Amino acid sequence: MRLANLAGRAILIRDDRAIDVAVASAGRFGPAPRDVLDAWDDFAEWVAGAEFPRGDEFDASELGPPVPDPRQVFAIGLNYRDHADEAGLSYPEHLVVFTKFASSLAGPHAVVELPSDFVDFETELVVIIGRESHRLPSLDAAKSTIAGYAVGQDYSERVVQLQGPAPQFSLGKSYPGFGPYGPAIVSPDEIDDPSALHIAARITGPTADAQGASPFTLQDGSTADLIFAVEQIVHDLSQVVTLHPGDVIFTGTPAGVGGSRGIFLKPGDRLISTIEGIGSLDNQFVAARSERR
Ligand code: ZN
């Protein structure tokens, strides 16, 4: 199944059409996406047996983040071998964990303001949790708590991220629009192996023109290069924190981030981030507006 957020309401996407969950279930599930995640096991069982109407056409650019208001957002750093290699760092023995504050979350077609000339991109597989869990006993148990997967971008302002006596990962990665994900939560039964997915990002606009190719491929990797696989991440996080339905985990990025080679996003750029079997994000970038909101 593909569960998405259209104007704050949970929808199922089937054959590119939208089925409103609350309407189709006669009010049993929804209307908000997190209501659906909070009842995930019952919902998944209902979806498996339900008969659905044909659904309505919808404008994909109006999709919001699949869960707009998770209780917790986790992000994992240095979790691809090729990315650790390009950063010149050894592979971590434990999860490197930070948060993206929830106000940074955005829909798959977000237009993102650039607060500086040092905004980088990190294409990531995102995990959405479907069941409250703490101290999961095994990797199988961890896997069964995963509601599904999405494509994410962990946009990062590298100056704020790295300045000061200790790095400020969470702050530098939490400007508005810095956490787009989607286009939908794709349930695990639609993904053969989350550790064998092609993950890529390509750009058009001034940054591509400066590289002499449009579109220009920025990242081209595989989740096979993950150091901690998705079930390991869920298992290890749960040894410390209680995970809740709807929690969002950005699982790290493969090689090709801009900071390692002096490529940063520019106003007028358009970045397409894609993961095999899940879908794409389509983000455009504009200069920051000066007025305060
Ligand atoms: Zn990241």
Side-chain angles (χ1 to χ4, degrees):
M1 90 174 80
R2 290 170 186 260
L3 181 76
N5 167 13
L6 189 63
R9 295 181 69 92
I11 60 164
L12 284 165
I13 300 177
R14 293 168 73 96
D15 299 326
D16 292 326
R17 300 173 79 92
I19 298 164
D20 187 278
V21 167
V23 173
S25 69
R28 184 174 168 200
F29 302 105
R34 215 182 73 193
D35 298 335
V36 175
L37 270 297
D38 281 344
W40 185 255
D41 289 327
D42 288 344
F43 177 72
E45 190 180 322
W46 172 75
V47 168
E51 290 199 12
F52 292 102
R54 183 152 174 260
D56 300 315
E57 291 183 6
F58 70 102
D59 182 350
S61 70
E62 292 178 1
L63 293 174
V67 180
D69 53 353
R71 296 173 181 84
Q72 304 179 99
V73 181
F74 303 92
I76 310 301
L78 280 182
N79 196 27
Y80 279 74
R81 295 178 190 88
D82 59 353
H83 177 51
D85 291 344
E86 76 178 346
L89 297 166
S90 54
Y91 303 160
E93 292 176 26
H94 307 281
L95 293 182
V96 176
V97 184
F98 55 95
T99 191
K100 291 174 78 71
F101 296 110
S103 59
S104 71
L105 297 178
H109 293 255
V111 175
V112 183
E113 288 188 17
L114 298 173
S116 81
D117 295 332
F118 299 99
V119 177
D120 206 343
F121 46 85
E122 298 187 355
T123 312
E124 310 203 359
L125 176 65
V126 167
V127 169
I128 296 90
I129 297 295
R131 194 183 297 156
E132 183 175 322
S133 38
H134 182 52
R135 293 189 193 130
L136 288 160
S138 66
L139 296 181
D140 279 346
K143 208 161 191 174
S144 73
T145 72
I146 294 175
Y149 304 97
V151 184
Q153 265 291 347
D154 175 19
Y155 292 125
S156 306
E157 205 287 340
R158 298 299 191 199
V159 176
V160 170
Q161 179 188 340
L162 299 172
Q163 73 188 359
Q168 298 260 29
F169 273 51
S170 301
L171 200 60
K173 291 164 173 275
S174 291
Y175 285 87
F178 271 31
Y181 78 106
I185 300 170
V186 179
S187 58
D189 57 293
E190 297 207 14
I191 306 289
D192 284 343
D193 181 359
S195 289
L197 301 175
H198 183 223
I199 177 169
R202 65 181 202 277
I203 197 165
T204 55
T207 293
D209 296 341
Q211 299 298 320
S214 186
F216 181 73
T217 298
L218 291 167
Q219 294 187 281
D220 187 3
S222 169
T223 59
D225 229 16
L226 281 164
I227 295 169
F228 298 95
V230 291
E231 60 270 28
Q232 189 77 54
I233 293 171
V234 172
H235 172 272
D236 290 4
L237 281 175
S238 84
Q239 303 312 307
V240 178
V241 299
T242 300
L243 299 172
H244 293 278
D247 282 359
V248 171
I249 307 171
F250 288 74
T251 61
T253 194
V257 300
S260 58
R261 52 193 164 139
I263 297 176
F264 295 101
L265 296 166
K266 296 181 173 69
D269 282 343
R270 180 178 179 187
L271 183 66
I272 309 286
S273 315
T274 303
I275 299 180
E276 175 186 5
I278 299 176
S280 296
L281 309 180
D282 182 350
N283 297 133
Q284 297 183 62
F285 302 90
V286 297
R289 289 177 287 190
S290 56
E291 78 269 25
R292 297 172 63 186
R293 283 174 289 169

